[in-house]
Protein backbone atom coordinates (compact mmCIF):
# COMPACT_ATOMS: atom_id res chain seq x y z
CA UNK A 1 0.00 0.00 0.00
CA UNK A 2 2.77 2.44 0.88
CA UNK A 3 4.46 1.93 -2.50
CA UNK A 4 1.21 2.77 -4.25
CA UNK A 5 0.73 5.86 -2.08
CA UNK A 6 4.21 7.05 -3.06
CA UNK A 7 3.41 6.54 -6.74
CA UNK A 8 -0.02 8.16 -6.75
CA UNK A 9 0.63 10.80 -4.05
CA UNK A 10 -2.96 11.49 -2.97
CA UNK A 11 -1.68 13.91 -0.31
CA UNK A 12 -0.62 16.40 -2.98
CA UNK A 13 -4.27 17.37 -3.52
CA UNK A 14 -6.38 19.52 -1.23
CA UNK A 15 -8.29 17.59 1.45
CA UNK A 16 -11.87 16.72 0.39
CA UNK A 17 -11.23 17.73 -3.21
CA UNK A 18 -12.48 15.59 -6.12
CA UNK A 19 -8.89 15.08 -7.27
CA UNK A 20 -7.86 13.65 -3.92
CA UNK A 21 -10.89 11.36 -3.95
CA UNK A 22 -9.97 10.15 -7.43
CA UNK A 23 -6.41 9.49 -6.28
CA UNK A 24 -7.67 7.30 -3.42
CA UNK A 25 -10.02 5.51 -5.82
CA UNK A 26 -7.19 4.77 -8.28
CA UNK A 27 -5.02 3.55 -5.41
CA UNK A 28 -7.87 1.25 -4.33
CA UNK A 29 -8.21 -0.12 -7.86
CA UNK A 30 -4.50 -0.90 -8.02
CA UNK A 31 -4.60 -2.68 -4.67
CA UNK A 32 -7.65 -4.72 -5.66
CA UNK A 33 -5.91 -5.80 -8.88
CA UNK A 34 -3.11 -7.51 -6.93
CA UNK A 35 -3.30 -11.28 -6.96
CA UNK A 36 -0.88 -11.87 -4.09
CA UNK A 37 -2.07 -11.12 -1.47
CA UNK A 38 -5.64 -11.12 -2.72
CA UNK A 39 -8.00 -8.81 -0.86
CA UNK A 40 -10.77 -6.32 -1.42
CA UNK A 41 -10.50 -2.79 -0.08
CA UNK A 42 -12.45 0.42 -0.37
CA UNK A 43 -11.08 3.92 -0.77
CA UNK A 44 -12.16 4.74 2.75
CA UNK A 45 -10.46 1.68 4.27
CA UNK A 46 -7.21 2.46 2.46
CA UNK A 47 -7.36 6.11 3.49
CA UNK A 48 -8.13 5.19 7.12
CA UNK A 49 -5.26 2.69 7.23
CA UNK A 50 -2.88 5.25 5.72
CA UNK A 51 -3.94 7.84 8.30
CA UNK A 52 -3.46 5.36 11.14
CA UNK A 53 0.02 4.38 9.95
CA UNK A 54 1.16 7.97 9.49
CA UNK A 55 -0.17 9.06 12.89
CA UNK A 56 1.61 6.16 14.60
CA UNK A 57 4.84 6.98 12.80
CA UNK A 58 4.61 10.68 13.70
CA UNK A 59 4.04 9.79 17.35
CA UNK A 60 6.97 7.37 17.29
CA UNK A 61 9.27 10.00 15.77
CA UNK A 62 8.14 12.54 18.35
CA UNK A 63 8.87 10.16 21.22
CA UNK A 64 12.26 9.22 19.80
CA UNK A 65 13.13 12.84 19.24
CA UNK A 66 12.15 13.83 22.75
CA UNK A 67 14.07 10.86 24.16
CA UNK A 68 17.11 11.95 22.16
CA UNK A 69 16.70 15.49 23.46
CA UNK A 70 16.50 14.22 27.05
CA UNK A 71 19.60 12.10 26.62
CA UNK A 72 21.57 14.91 25.05
CA UNK A 73 20.49 17.25 27.82
CA UNK A 74 21.64 14.70 30.42
CA UNK A 75 25.00 14.32 28.65
CA UNK A 76 25.50 18.08 28.59
CA UNK A 77 24.68 18.38 32.29
CA UNK A 78 27.17 15.66 33.17
CA UNK A 79 29.77 17.27 30.94
CA UNK A 80 29.37 20.62 32.72
CA UNK A 81 29.79 18.94 36.11
CA UNK A 82 33.04 17.26 35.05
Amino acid sequence: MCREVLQIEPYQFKIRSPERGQAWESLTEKLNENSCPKFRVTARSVRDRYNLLTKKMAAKLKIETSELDDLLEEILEKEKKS
Side-chain angles (χ1 to χ4, degrees):
M1 178 182 87
C2 291
R3 284 187 185 120
E4 301 300 328
V5 169
L6 283 172
Q7 287 178 345
I8 295 174
E9 298 180 340
Y11 46 80
Q12 71 180 338
F13 303 108
K14 186 177 178 181
I15 294 176
R16 295 190 178 143
S17 69
E19 295 84 10
R20 191 172 181 129
Q22 289 172 351
W24 285 114
E25 285 294 331
S26 65
L27 193 136
T28 301
E29 290 171 8
K30 282 189 166 205
L31 290 174
N32 286 332
E33 289 173 358
N34 287 340
S35 60
C36 183
K38 181 73 174 164
F39 51 84
R40 301 281 304 158
V41 293
T42 63
R44 183 176 180 148
S45 66
V46 172
R47 187 180 67 234
D48 288 347
R49 182 67 178 161
Y50 166 78
N51 287 333
L52 177 69
L53 290 172
T54 55
K55 284 179 185 177
K56 281 185 176 182
M57 186 62 178
K60 182 179 177 183
L61 291 173
K62 184 177 180 182
I63 289 170
E64 289 177 0
T65 301
S66 63
E67 182 181 357
L68 176 63
D69 293 340
D70 293 341
L71 293 171
L72 288 172
E73 184 178 338
E74 185 178 339
I75 290 169
L76 288 173
E77 287 175 9
K78 287 184 177 186
E79 188 177 308
K80 286 179 184 178
K81 290 178 183 179
S82 296

